[in-house]
Amino acid sequence: MIAIIGGTGPEGSGLALRWARAGESIVIGSRDGERAKAAAAKIAEKAGPLGSVEGVENAVAVKMCDTVVLTVPFAGQADLLKQLKPSFRQGTVLIDATVPLATAVGGRPTRVLGVWEGSAAEQAQEIVGKNVAVAAAFHSLSATVLHAEDDVDCDVIVCSDDDRARKVASDLAAKIPGVRAFDGGKLENARIVEAMTALLITLNIRHKVHGAGWRVTGIYGSG
Amino acid sequence: MIAIIGGTGPEGSGLALRWARAGESIVIGSRDGERAKAAAAKIAEKAGPLGSVEGVENAVAVKMCDTVVLTVPFAGQADLLKQLKPSFRQGTVLIDATVPLATAVGGRPTRVLGVWEGSAAEQAQEIVGKNVAVAAAFHSLSATVLHAEDDVDCDVIVCSDDDRARKVASDLAAKIPGVRAFDGGKLENARIVEAMTALLITLNIRHKVHGAGWRVTGIYGSG
């Protein structure tokens, strides 16, 4: 079972949809259990019968699952993780998709804030502590594209200091049709992957599209 | 005529080779005019008869050309540009491909240094002044791949505050078979593109290859 904290938002619900279609059991988390339930019902209807989607309050979702995916705006990330910390089981894998966009402080979505720990993902690791294994992933997947029917023409770079967390994130990436996972090294490299998402927003604006993404080339042949 | 400062190195000579093959007139610059001449002769032989390649001392190369491409290690970038500043003509386009890898101070090639101006490219702009239009580009092209015979399976993100510099860099990118240029917005965004090159080095190490690159997707169809 996979908890998606921020699962009522466009990115989280898009991931939920894709994973439910792949047969996974998804638990949508929200501050408000009723909102989570309503969002889950919508996603379940769109996803079809293969997987399952339920909705509960954030802390309940974290308690229920071995894998927790965090898709919230950066402005709320630290406070939310502090609140949820007691709910994490020992050994939970936390996959952080947070991008520290400057919008968190009224700035532009094409810029990132400097995070003292180095990245939003390292901030997450510092808050949840060593009992939780953090991987950074899924930043680059456009919510618009996740909610569409086509295969996703974008790769996912996974950064982690924990081999199990890296594998969990990589396996989840591969469950989204079209997506390939690449090993982006240590969690500290999340600062680059997070910033790349701001650059994708620039590419969207400059080229007047909504779903710019990346393919890695030169590894398994052409992207 | 295109001056390539650092044109005796692997990245600069690879770009020179590709552009000479496309029929461009290339001037290889080096601290040592004789070394530049020897490198130019080698590149010219490999490139064939279409373009031309000559080699001269750096300041002479800058004086000769309207377009100057800088492909030097970060450790030498600032000093070299200070020396060369009087040689730039009014209106020269400087295309900076410098990546502030931590190797400049004995660190890892998978990490970048924080540059006070924001990026190596913005440092370049500050040094050369407003008479020179700076674009940041070509960071992501693997020297190994540039020296091979195949088309290059990688895109180039161009960042600039000057439309003419952006166009010059984009046109040069398109002269390399396989490469497409994308508008990466303002010069300040070079900090992201530079860091992405450190991540490509991580991908090379983790996946045991030499030519990892990027394709942008979701703009003109699949990469």
Side-chain angles (χ1 to χ4, degrees):
Chain A
M1 280 209 302
I2 306 158
I4 304 183
I5 307 303
T8 58
E11 185 77 14
S13 60
L15 290 170
L17 175 65
R18 295 293 185 150
W19 289 327
R21 278 191 187 148
E24 296 290 322
S25 301
I26 306 295
V27 182
I28 298 291
S30 172
R31 272 159 216 266
D32 175 348
E34 288 308 309
R35 260 195 81 205
K37 210 175 267 183
K42 267 195 184 172
I43 298 165
E45 198 194 325
K46 213 174 154 192
L50 219 53
S52 71
V53 191
E54 60 187 305
V56 296
E57 197 271 326
N58 281 326
V60 179
V62 169
K63 274 182 198 146
M64 286 169 70
C65 297
D66 294 322
T67 302
V68 175
V69 180
L70 188 64
T71 60
V72 296
F74 180 60
Q77 187 213 27
D79 270 348
L80 183 57
L81 284 177
K82 279 178 215 162
Q83 277 171 40
L84 294 178
K85 187 182 175 184
S87 304
F88 280 93
R89 309 181 197 173
Q90 164 91 28
T92 300
V93 167
L94 172 63
I95 303 173
D96 182 70
T98 311
V99 179
L101 297 179
T103 47
V105 295
R108 297 184 187 177
T110 55
R111 290 177 172 170
V112 285
L113 297 172
V115 180
W116 190 272
E117 294 82 354
S119 60
E122 288 162 284
Q123 175 173 279
Q125 178 73 76
E126 185 173 290
I127 294 170
V128 296
K130 298 212 163 171
N131 288 338
V132 176
V134 176
F138 303 119
H139 317 78
S140 58
L141 301 182
S142 150
T144 309
V145 172
L146 285 173
H147 281 280
E149 302 297 314
D150 297 339
D151 284 9
V152 176
D153 191 11
C154 188
D155 291 327
V156 163
I157 312 274
V158 180
C159 302
S160 183
D161 298 333
D162 183 282
D163 286 340
R164 194 169 54 91
R166 184 194 322 284
K167 187 172 182 331
V168 169
S170 302
D171 290 350
L172 279 177
K175 285 184 190 286
I176 302 172
V179 173
R180 305 175 305 175
F182 288 88
D183 181 354
K186 294 185 184 181
L187 193 65
E188 64 179 37
N189 291 342
R191 70 194 70 186
I192 303 176
V193 183
E194 292 169 8
M196 286 167 67
T197 304
L199 189 61
L200 285 180
I201 294 170
T202 291
L203 288 168
N204 278 335
I205 293 170
R206 292 267 173 163
H207 291 272
K208 300 186 173 65
V209 297
H210 295 282
W214 310 104
R215 286 291 191 191
V216 176
T217 61
I219 293 182
Y220 304 129
S222 170
Chain B
M1 281 208 299
I2 304 156
I4 304 182
I5 307 304
T8 58
E11 185 76 14
S13 60
L15 290 170
L17 175 65
R18 295 292 185 150
W19 289 327
R21 278 190 187 149
E24 296 291 321
S25 301
I26 306 295
V27 182
I28 298 290
S30 172
R31 273 158 216 265
D32 176 349
E34 289 307 311
R35 261 194 82 206
K37 211 175 266 183
K42 267 196 182 171
I43 297 165
E45 199 193 325
K46 214 175 153 191
L50 219 53
S52 72
V53 191
E54 61 186 305
V56 297
E57 196 269 325
N58 280 326
V60 178
V62 170
K63 274 181 198 145
M64 287 169 70
C65 297
D66 294 321
T67 301
V68 176
V69 180
L70 188 65
T71 60
V72 297
F74 180 61
Q77 187 214 26
D79 271 348
L80 182 58
L81 283 177
K82 281 178 214 162
Q83 277 173 42
L84 294 177
K85 186 181 177 184
S87 304
F88 280 93
R89 308 182 196 171
Q90 164 91 26
T92 300
V93 168
L94 172 63
I95 303 172
D96 182 69
T98 310
V99 180
L101 297 180
T103 47
V105 294
R108 298 185 186 176
T110 54
R111 289 177 174 172
V112 284
L113 297 171
V115 180
W116 190 272
E117 294 82 354
S119 60
E122 288 162 283
Q123 175 173 278
Q125 179 73 75
E126 185 172 291
I127 294 170
V128 296
K130 298 214 163 170
N131 289 336
V132 176
V134 175
F138 303 118
H139 316 79
S140 57
L141 301 181
S142 149
T144 309
V145 171
L146 286 172
H147 281 279
E149 301 298 314
D150 297 339
D151 284 9
V152 175
D153 190 10
C154 189
D155 290 327
V156 163
I157 314 274
V158 180
C159 302
S160 183
D161 298 332
D162 183 282
D163 286 340
R164 194 171 52 93
R166 184 196 321 284
K167 186 172 184 331
V168 168
S170 302
D171 290 351
L172 279 177
K175 286 184 188 288
I176 302 172
V179 173
R180 303 175 305 175
F182 288 88
D183 181 354
K186 294 185 184 181
L187 193 65
E188 63 178 37
N189 291 343
R191 71 195 71 187
I192 303 176
V193 183
E194 292 170 6
M196 285 167 67
T197 304
L199 189 62
L200 284 179
I201 294 170
T202 290
L203 287 169
N204 279 335
I205 293 170
R206 292 269 173 160
H207 291 273
K208 300 188 173 64
V209 297
H210 295 282
W214 310 105
R215 286 289 192 193
V216 176
T217 61
I219 293 181
Y220 305 129
S222 171

